[in-house]
Amino acid sequence: MHCLLRALALISALLATAALAEPPPQVEVAPVLGAQFFRGLDGPGLGRDQTIQNGVIVGARGGALFADRLRLDVGLEFTPTVVVGADRLTYVLQPHLDGTVDLLTGWIRPYVGLGVGLIGFVDNQWLGDTITFQSGITAKKPDVEFSGAAAAGVRVYLGEIADMLEGTMLRLDVRDVIYAPRNIAVNYMNIQPGEFNAFHNLQLSLAFAWTFDAFGETPTGETGGVTPTSVP
């Protein structure tokens, strides 16, 4: 899993390097609302039940479109939830960087991509303290782990439907967030030292996004992704 996370980081860096070599991008900003599923994928190599209730995602994302296909997004998601059977409030914070590629260049654009980030679990009852698990393992809190993600989704440019919605879009995003604890109990699990475990979080979100030329107008002949059919 750690090798996978390093590979995701390398791929994201290569996408960022390629993007920065392109002309000034258009900028996209979006508030995010959705759901996060702390699902357990039982079986060899699939992970364990995280014993955390599924919750609502509230967050924001900002990104840039390069060469009318390549995107870089920076996002932050916040999920308040509770531990199953413990009624203990936990806040899950997830900052991340995603690189995505639009598969089509029309006004409906499906995309795929990869991302890297962090995932942190904060419990206000023991922030900065230690917690002891049934196995006798103690862990410093909050838990913060590196994460990787596979992303897919679709963007629908609303300016193609109504002129008054020029520069806006709807985006549906699906992200599978993967992380592995560093040989210690994480996320309220009773894990023995040295035991490898991977966790998967499934995120589904819907956003209303705005796009604009923050760095000057897009060069002639490039749509910038906002009005794909309006360029002569």
Side-chain angles (χ1 to χ4, degrees):
M1 180 59 64
H2 294 289
C3 291
L4 174 60
L5 295 180
R6 286 194 291 268
L8 290 173
L10 177 60
I11 293 172
S12 298
L14 292 175
L15 287 173
T17 301
L20 294 175
E22 296 294 333
Q26 282 205 321
V27 172
E28 174 188 326
V29 294
V32 174
L33 183 65
Q36 180 155 237
F37 301 90
F38 299 94
R39 68 193 193 282
L41 300 178
D42 296 325
L46 293 179
R48 292 188 172 189
D49 187 358
Q50 297 175 71
T51 68
I52 288 184
Q53 289 188 1
N54 301 327
V56 174
I57 293 173
V58 178
R61 292 174 189 164
L65 170 64
F66 301 84
D68 206 31
R69 280 185 182 269
L70 178 62
R71 297 175 183 271
L72 294 178
D73 283 324
V74 176
L76 175 63
E77 279 84 48
F78 168 76
T79 302
T81 183
V82 297
V83 181
V84 176
D87 294 327
R88 174 173 288 180
L89 186 63
T90 296
Y91 306 102
V92 184
L93 296 172
Q94 297 181 81
H96 57 87
L97 170 67
D98 295 334
T100 66
V101 177
D102 291 346
L103 301 179
L104 300 174
T105 56
W107 66 281
I108 299 178
R109 296 192 176 196
Y111 76 87
V112 294
L114 298 172
V116 292
L118 299 172
I119 181 169
F121 302 88
V122 181
D123 186 328
N124 58 9
Q125 295 187 24
W126 38 260
L127 180 62
D129 203 349
T130 59
I131 186 170
T132 302
F133 293 82
Q134 295 178 7
S135 61
I137 301 173
T138 60
K140 192 74 173 180
K141 299 300 176 179
D143 289 319
V144 178
E145 304 291 339
F146 289 104
S147 66
V154 63
R155 295 176 175 87
V156 180
Y157 290 91
L158 300 179
E160 295 298 315
I161 301 174
D163 290 341
M164 63 179 297
L165 297 175
E166 188 71 26
T168 63
M169 72 175 78
L170 281 178
R171 52 182 288 180
L172 174 64
D173 302 285
V174 181
R175 301 178 74 247
D176 182 25
V177 182
I178 309 167
Y179 66 99
R182 295 161 292 183
N183 296 329
I184 197 168
V186 76
N187 221 6
Y188 299 94
M189 294 301 298
N190 184 17
I191 301 171
Q192 297 299 321
E195 184 178 354
F196 177 80
N197 292 273
F199 296 98
H200 294 251
N201 295 351
L202 181 64
Q203 294 181 341
L204 303 176
S205 62
L206 181 67
F208 184 84
W210 291 267
T211 57
F212 53 93
D213 293 311
F215 304 100
E217 293 185 0
T218 304
T220 302
E222 294 183 15
T223 69
V226 176
T227 56
T229 61
S230 63
V231 178

